[in-house]
Structures are given as C-alpha cells and as structure tokens.
C-alpha cells in the first residue's frame, strides 16, 4: 500500500523478456487495476532473475524500491526517484537470494538473509551506505536459509523492524 495506491509487482522468470518485473496499481482497494507497466531503465541492468521478492517500499526521499533476485545467491534492489516512470540498477548485489530489505533510520539500506547463502553456517546481513552501489556483508545469529525458505523484514508503525525467517 503506497499511500492509498496498491501496487503489485511480479516477474516472468521463465521468459527471457529482459524485464526484471512488471507492475500494476489500484486506487480503489483492488476493484480495478491499471494496465501492466514494464520498467524503463536509465542505467545498465546487471545480472538478475525476473523474480521480485518480499518487499517494495519508499525511502525517506520518496524514492521507490523493489527487491528482486539477481544471479545465483544474490539479490538486487531496483530504485525509482520519479514514481516509477524510470528505474535504475544501482549496481550492487546482496549476499543471498530472496533478501528482505528495509531502510534504517540513518538512511543505510539493510538486507537480511536469503536462501542458499551463508557465512559460517549463519544467515548473511548486507548493509549499503551508498544507495545499493556496494554492500558490506556480515553474519547474523540466525541459521542460514535453504531451498523454499524466505525471510521477511517489515518496519512496524512503531518504527521498529520486525524480522522473521524459516
């Protein structure tokens, strides 16, 4: 829910369409939906799988963010600063497929978990200080995720982050 507009993102990872995701929107609680929109990128698009993952959100600067799988055990965070008219690939990739994302209160990007990746048997954490251009990895106290497992990360109304993993 983007301030009263419902947005749905999906991918066609079995098709070689070149689009990392498609999107539709509804302003009447899902009674009607817009025609599908395909992202227009103003940057080079790095390795990706057309499979959006658990969350889409807005940053403090009102930029839109949509996470999706990248290649192998990586994820990418797509960004739009013009309400979805154009998108960029900042270039960086997290440590983990199906990474769950949030913006920290200090503006850094946090990526938690992801399947089929680990650091010493534990779930990875990815932090970006430069809008997703680069990521620093460290291990969490949580066990690594395996196939068919996905983490979830949500900012609650209280401002706290809620994290869950299988």
């Amino acid at each position: 829910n983007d301030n009263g507009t419902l947005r749905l993102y999906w991918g066609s990872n079995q098709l070689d369409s070149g689009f990392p995701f498609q999107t539709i929107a509804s302003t009447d609680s899902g009674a009607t939906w817009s025609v599908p929109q395909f992202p227009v990128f103003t940057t080079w698009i790095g390795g990706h799988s057309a499979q959006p993952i658990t969350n889409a959100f807005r940053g403090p600067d009102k930029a839109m963010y949509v996470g999706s799988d990248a290649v192998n055990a990586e994820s990418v965070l797509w960004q739009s600063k013009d309400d979805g008219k154009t998108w960029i690939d900042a270039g960086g990739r997290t440590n983990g497929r199906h990474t769950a994302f949030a913006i920290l209160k200090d503006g850094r990007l946090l990526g938690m978990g992801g399947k089929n990746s680990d650091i010493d048997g534990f779930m990875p954490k990815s932090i970006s200080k430069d809008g997703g251009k680069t990521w620093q990895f460290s291990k969490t106290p949580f066990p690594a995720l395996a196939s068919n497992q996905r983490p979830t990360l949500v900012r609650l109304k209280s401002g706290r982050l809620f994290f869950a993993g299988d």
Side-chain angles (χ1 to χ4, degrees):
N1 187 336
D2 183 15
N3 202 25
T5 298
L6 299 179
R7 299 188 189 280
L8 174 66
Y9 299 90
W10 76 94
S12 300
N13 66 346
Q14 299 301 314
L15 299 175
D16 190 18
S17 66
F19 292 103
F21 61 89
Q22 297 89 51
T23 184
I24 55 176
S26 173
T27 56
D28 57 12
S29 299
T32 61
W33 291 89
S34 67
V35 298
Q37 300 292 310
F38 295 85
V40 174
F41 282 87
T42 60
T43 61
W44 177 79
I45 302 172
H48 67 278
S49 171
Q51 186 171 348
I53 45 185
T54 59
N55 50 350
F57 54 91
R58 287 212 184 245
D61 61 353
K62 303 301 180 205
M64 297 170 73
Y65 293 87
V66 175
S68 79
D69 288 343
V71 177
N72 299 318
E74 298 176 328
S75 295
V76 58
L77 195 56
W78 310 110
Q79 302 168 28
S80 174
K81 295 185 179 182
D82 57 9
D83 288 326
K85 292 179 186 79
T86 61
W87 293 85
I88 67 164
D89 176 350
R93 301 296 185 263
T94 67
N95 184 0
R97 192 169 184 85
H98 305 323
T99 299
F101 294 99
I103 295 181
L104 298 175
K105 290 183 179 182
D106 64 6
R108 294 178 300 156
L109 296 169
L110 168 65
M112 289 293 291
K115 74 174 191 173
N116 300 337
S117 63
D118 70 273
I119 299 174
D120 300 328
F122 292 90
M123 182 184 298
K125 173 175 71 174
S126 302
I127 298 279
S128 178
K129 298 175 185 176
D130 58 10
K133 292 177 189 164
T134 61
W135 295 88
Q136 296 175 334
F137 311 127
S138 61
K139 70 180 177 182
T140 69
F142 307 109
L145 298 178
S147 186
N148 293 322
Q149 295 179 316
R150 288 164 174 67
T152 299
L153 183 62
V154 177
R155 183 162 304 281
L156 302 174
K157 189 174 183 179
S158 69
R160 293 181 177 166
L161 289 175
F162 173 81
F163 172 75
D166 292 336

